[in-house]
């Protein structure tokens, strides 16, 4: 039996007045909103520089479409290698996989198969046309479905309201911009919308009492659900978690107690998924590109190809998409809670700000829905749960994304979860949220567009600036990552100039936001501040919206000793922002989130050198001398002597060879009776990092000064912290040396020999 629709209800006098005021004008209102969104998106796009290079997933998808268009296959052979090496702009940044049959591209094949003809016609811009056409067709089906839904509920003007709901779905969300990323995300959303409409259309909107258009009759066709199954299976092949969406029509039929229909749809889905998996296997040598041995090749690392791919097979590493060997994540309630919070309200992924229409649709569906709606909600929850429960440290995608790109394919399920067309006040609420997001993005680019024109430049002002930052992102444009003093330091915005080991702040600019991640329990963070302004102060804000601490420290030039050392500032321990894993490590890290601001005359600058935890640094001062220096031969003013020594790191800290707190060696020469050294050498670097209980070898030359009696001292230095001798009581080696004057050259042989040191 057909499903009964929920009873239509009125939502109060205010809603009735709004409905009456706009009666007959919903269609023009929808078109006006669509034009406004198009204008804002066009302006935002015009303020961004073109991406300098096509990287990561987009680069691989584009290369796959090109390979199919020009080679007719997806194997990475000599022609692919030639194109990759000749490509400009970094388009040869590829993700590849290794199978028994050779090397092939390691991304789902549906998108490149469909994009190949468009690539053949239009070149690299062809996939944009594919994405645009697919989305337009899916939205057309969605309009027919929504109009039938309104007609079923007795709406007096179903076309106008259906169009307004559809424009809200597409415009009050980050959906349209994905058309211009030449990868599978936009196509997944289009297939998901079309597939759900075709499979739920007849179940949800039977017997409209009107012959309708050809599109209407399409939804009632007996084969429509099975065409929808093919689209949903293709969506699942493009990303395995989308299997939850493919199960939506089956669950909807089960909830409606139409078990024969559920069984038929399940069989159809299984057949379609199996055929597409077999096609993937045949074209790439692996049934799933995410489970194969895969790696990324760039022009730096080299490419496999031609007749001898075995020479690079050692570079392949097994990194399945889930990258988890157990179900431990399901038991980590705190991690899941963090991920869920970001899922709804994160700066770069929050559903409420990137998909405000979906956020409101979700609330409406949870208030009242039917069997088909519950099936759609369960499917959406299943797709979200895969990332929130199984992969809470990477649930929103990699570089160049707007909003949660992994959940983009599940977004149409929220539209299909609605049992009836929303009343106008709910649509108005969605547009108010969307206006907040659009306004923040416009303000961000208007104020700071010159600082950063990447895909995340919208997140520097307005509502986005006050939202929590998702630290587990592998790559976010506009940020700068550094590894300083054993800590992972990320500058999440462009408001500071980060160099190799320091960062420069400028007064008058917005505070720069810094994330510091370290595996040790939270301790003091020490920095050296070298400011130009005598009255400068460094303001450090740490914490979140609930608990926050502000520290202001004077760092003016009049407080600094002579030289570029600066003023030490200790940022005391504070409740960590969170503790979680990162892409680069499997262990958990403490993460602290700081906002740094220079309070000084506008335009002045301060250089900040990051030292790290001084308590941890103290544990670095531990060594044992394995081989002491030996001073042999004459010591002559103006001459040199070769010295060398070897020590063992007896502590538990890593001695870094290149860092702001690297371990180096130096020597100093004191003339007997003087308090200050006459000579202090430059840094003698470690050749490579030295771990606990490993040995370090230093070889160097001493240049001898004017004649006299000196004390030669050789010691280790923890840069920007102290000499080892000051912490352990004595240097590595000390010796009294008599530097003899050089013997003047004469015309003949002979003369007095040089004096020797000792």
């Amino acid at each position: 039996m057909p499903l009964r629709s929920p009873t239509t209800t009125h939502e109060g006098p205010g809603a009735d007045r709004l409905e009456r005021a706009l009666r007959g004008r919903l269609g023009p209102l929808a078109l006006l909103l669509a034009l406004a969104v198009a204008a804002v998106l066009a302006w935002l796009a015009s303020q961004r520089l073109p991406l300098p290079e096509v990287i990561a997933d987009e680069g691989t998808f584009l290369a796959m479409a090109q390979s199919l268009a020009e080679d007719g296959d997806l194997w990475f052979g000599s022609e692919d290698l030639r194109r990759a090496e000749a490509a400009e702009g970094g388009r040869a940044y590829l993700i590849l996989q290794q199978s028994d049959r050779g090397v092939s591209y390691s991304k789902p094949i549906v998108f490149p198969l469909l994009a190949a003809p468009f690539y053949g016609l239009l070149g690299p811009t062809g996939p944009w046309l594919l994405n645009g056409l697919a989305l337009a067709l899916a939205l057309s089906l969605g309009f027919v479905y929504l109009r039938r839904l309104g007609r079923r509920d007795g709406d007096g003007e179903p076309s106008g309201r259906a169009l307004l709901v559809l424009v809200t779905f597409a415009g009050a969300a980050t959906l349209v911009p994905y058309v211009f990323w030449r990868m599978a995300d936009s196509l997944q959303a289009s297939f998901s919308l079309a597939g759900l409409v075709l499979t739920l259309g007849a179940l949800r909107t039977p017997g409209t009492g009107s012959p309708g258009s050809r599109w209407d009759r399409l939804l009632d066709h007996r084969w429509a659900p099975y065409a929808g199954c093919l689209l949903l299976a293709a969506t699942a092949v493009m990303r395995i978690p989308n299997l939850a969406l493919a199960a939506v029509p089956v669950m909807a039929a089960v909830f409606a107690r139409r078990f024969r229909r559920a069984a038929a749809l399940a069989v159809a889905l299984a057949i379609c998924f199996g055929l597409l998996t077999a096609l993937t296997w045949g074209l790439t040598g692996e049934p799933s590109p995410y489970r194969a041995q895969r790696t990324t090749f760039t022009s730096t690392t080299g490419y496999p190809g031609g007749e001898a791919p075995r020479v690079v097979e050692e570079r392949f590493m097994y990194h399945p998409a889930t990258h988890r060997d157990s179900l431990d994540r399901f038991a980590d309630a705190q991690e899941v809670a963090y991920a869920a919070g970001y899922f709804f309200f994160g700066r770069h992924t929050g559903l409420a700000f990137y998909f405000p229409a979906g956020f409101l649709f979700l609330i409406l569906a949870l208030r009242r829905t039917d069997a088909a709606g519950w099936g759609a909600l369960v499917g959406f929850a299943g797709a979200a749960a895969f990332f929130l429960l199984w992969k809470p440290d990477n649930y929103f995608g990699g570089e160049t994304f707007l909003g949660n790109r992994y959940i983009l394919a599940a977004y149409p399920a929220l539209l299909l979860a609605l049992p009836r067309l929303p009343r106008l006040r709910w649509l108005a609420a969605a547009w108010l949220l969307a206006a907040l997001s659009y306004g923040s993005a416009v303000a961000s680019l208007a104020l700071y567009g010159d600082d950063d024109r990447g895909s995340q430049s919208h997140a520097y002002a307005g509502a986005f600036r006050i939202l929590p930052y998702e630290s587990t992102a592998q790559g976010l444009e506009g940020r700068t990552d550094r590894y300083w003093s054993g800590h992972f330091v990320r500058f999440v915005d462009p408001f500071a100039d980060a160099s190799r080991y320091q960062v420069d702040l400028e007064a008058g600019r917005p505070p720069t936001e810094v994330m510091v991640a370290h595996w040790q329990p939270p301790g003091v963070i020490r920095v050296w501040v070298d400011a130009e302004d005598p009255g400068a102060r460094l303001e450090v804000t740490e914490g979140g919206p609930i608990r926050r601490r502000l520290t202001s420290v004077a760092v003016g030039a009049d407080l600094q000793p002579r030289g570029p050392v600066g003023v030490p500032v200790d940022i005391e321990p504070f409740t960590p922002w969170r503790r979680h894993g990162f892409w680069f490590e499997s262990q958990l890290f403490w993460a602290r989130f700081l906002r740094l601001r220079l309070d000084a005359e506008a335009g002045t600058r301060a250089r900040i050198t990051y030292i790290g935890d001084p308590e941890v640094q103290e544990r670095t001062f531990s060594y044992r001398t394995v081989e002491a220096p030996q001073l042999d031969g004459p010591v002559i003013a103006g001459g040199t002597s070769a010295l060398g020594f070897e020590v063992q790191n007896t502590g538990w800290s890593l001695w870094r060879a290149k860092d702001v707190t690297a371990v180096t060696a130096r020597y100093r020469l004191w003339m007997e009776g003087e308090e200050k050294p006459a000579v202090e050498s430059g840094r003698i670097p470690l050749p490579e990092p030295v771990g606990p209980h490993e040995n370090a070898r230093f070889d160097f030359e001493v240049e001898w000064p004017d004649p006299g009696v000196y004390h030669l001292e050789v010691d280790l230095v923890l840069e920007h912290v102290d000499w080892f001798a000051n912490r352990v009581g004595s240097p590595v080696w000390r010796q009294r040396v008599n530097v003899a004057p050089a013997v003047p050259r004469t015309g003949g042989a002979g003369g007095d020999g040089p004096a020797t040191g000792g």
Side-chain angles (χ1 to χ4, degrees), residues 24 56 80 118 123 193 270 272 282 308 328-329 409 417-418 448 486 550 609 645 740 748:
D80 301 89
F118 295 90
L193 175 58
C272 293
D328 291 343
R329 283 295 181 189
L418 295 172
Y448 310 121
L550 172 63
T609 303
F645 68 95

Side-chain angles (χ1 to χ4, degrees), residues 51-114:
L51 290 177
E53 57 184 23
V54 180
I55 59 176
D57 291 0
E58 187 179 16
T60 300
F61 277 121
L62 196 60
M64 292 172 75
Q66 182 182 23
S67 182
L68 282 169
E70 299 184 7
D71 291 348
D73 62 40
L74 288 172
W75 298 99
F76 195 85
S78 56
E79 282 299 306
D80 301 89
L81 176 61
R82 181 188 60 78
R83 286 194 301 268
E85 292 177 334
E88 297 181 0
R91 188 163 54 96
Y93 191 112
L94 304 174
I95 302 172
L96 304 172
Q97 69 182 23
Q98 177 73 41
S99 70
D100 293 339
R101 296 166 55 189
V103 177
S104 65
Y105 298 95
S106 184
K107 283 294 171 183
I109 66 169
V110 174
F111 178 81
L113 280 174
L114 296 176

Side-chain angles (χ1 to χ4, degrees), residues 413-453:
L414 297 178
L415 179 67
L416 274 293
L418 295 172
R420 56 187 292 267
L421 298 184
R423 311 308 297 177
L424 292 187
R425 74 174 188 175
W426 283 101
L427 297 178
W431 281 106
L432 284 175
L433 275 175
L436 181 63
S437 299
Y438 278 124
S440 298
V442 169
S444 183
L445 266 70
L447 292 171
Y448 310 121
D450 292 337
D451 295 307
D452 176 30
R453 296 190 177 186

Side-chain angles (χ1 to χ4, degrees), residues 463-546:
F464 293 109
R465 189 68 172 178
I466 64 176
L467 294 173
Y469 171 80
E470 299 95 329
S471 64
T472 56
Q474 181 187 21
L476 288 171
E477 288 185 342
R479 60 65 177 136
T480 301
D481 291 349
R482 292 288 184 266
Y483 295 89
W484 288 343
S485 304
H487 296 170
F488 173 63
V489 182
R490 168 172 289 179
F491 294 88
V492 307
D493 56 39
F495 301 133
D497 299 325
S499 58
R500 187 175 185 184
Y501 296 127
Q502 289 87 20
V503 60
D504 290 344
L505 293 183
E506 182 177 328
R509 300 188 76 186
T512 188
E513 295 182 330
V514 183
M515 181 193 70
V516 179
H518 46 102
W519 60 267
Q520 303 97 340
V524 173
I525 294 177
R526 176 170 294 171
V527 297
W528 286 95
V529 184
D530 183 12
E532 299 173 349
D533 189 343
R537 300 185 69 87
L538 177 67
E539 291 185 353
V540 182
T541 304
E542 183 171 6
I546 299 177

Side-chain angles (χ1 to χ4, degrees), residues 563-588:
V565 176
V567 177
V569 175
D570 284 350
I571 304 171
E572 297 298 326
F574 192 71
T575 303
W577 167 42
R578 61 179 300 194
R579 188 168 185 251
H580 58 80
F582 285 87
W583 276 79
F584 53 82
E585 288 282 357
S586 58
Q587 65 178 331
L588 297 181

Side-chain angles (χ1 to χ4, degrees), residues 187-448:
L187 194 65
Q188 289 178 55
S190 300
F191 278 15
S192 173
L193 175 58
L196 290 175
V197 165
L198 290 172
T199 52
L200 298 181
L203 185 68
R204 200 52 155 328
T205 60
T208 60
S210 170
S213 65
R214 187 174 300 174
W215 287 90
D216 285 289
R217 293 193 295 272
L218 173 62
L219 296 190
D220 292 326
H221 196 282
R222 59 178 297 188
W223 290 105
Y226 302 106
C229 287
L230 177 61
L231 293 175
L232 292 175
T235 307
V237 169
M238 284 189 275
R239 185 169 288 133
I240 297 301
N242 293 339
L243 280 170
L245 301 174
V248 166
V250 178
M251 291 185 290
V254 170
F255 293 153
R257 299 181 182 278
R258 300 180 64 171
F259 300 112
R260 293 181 60 183
R261 178 187 178 90
L265 292 176
V267 171
L269 284 166
I271 292 174
C272 293
F273 185 81
L275 290 175
L276 290 172
T277 300
L279 183 61
T280 301
W281 202 339
L283 290 175
T284 66
E286 288 287 341
S288 171
Y290 296 111
R291 301 300 302 182
Q293 295 183 63
R294 52 199 303 230
T295 192
T296 298
F297 285 84
T298 69
S299 56
T300 301
T301 61
Y303 297 93
E307 299 178 355
R310 288 190 298 274
V311 297
V312 292
E313 286 181 8
E314 294 181 359
R315 299 185 184 184
F316 280 91
M317 298 180 65
Y318 185 63
H319 287 306
T322 55
H323 63 75
R324 296 291 176 194
D325 296 328
S326 68
L327 302 184
D328 291 343
R329 283 295 181 189
F330 286 99
D332 193 344
Q334 184 182 27
E335 183 75 5
V336 171
Y338 272 123
Y342 293 134
F343 179 77
F344 286 103
F345 302 107
R347 179 180 298 184
H348 299 282
T349 63
L351 197 71
F353 293 90
Y354 290 92
F355 299 92
F359 188 72
L360 270 297
F361 293 165
L362 176 61
I363 295 174
L364 283 175
L366 289 173
R367 292 178 70 201
R368 175 178 297 170
T369 192
D370 54 14
W374 281 117
L377 286 176
V378 172
F380 178 85
F386 178 87
F387 298 106
L388 296 179
L389 299 179
W390 185 255
K391 296 179 63 181
D393 54 353
N394 177 41
Y395 58 89
F396 54 87
E399 294 189 62
T400 58
F401 64 86
L402 292 172
N404 190 323
R405 77 179 181 96
Y406 282 168
I407 209 65
L408 190 70
Y411 173 54
L414 297 178
L415 179 67
L416 274 293
L418 295 172
R420 56 187 292 267
L421 298 184
R423 311 308 297 177
L424 292 187
R425 74 174 188 175
W426 283 101
L427 297 178
W431 281 106
L432 284 175
L433 275 175
L436 181 63
S437 299
Y438 278 124
S440 298
V442 169
S444 183
L445 266 70
L447 292 171
Y448 310 121

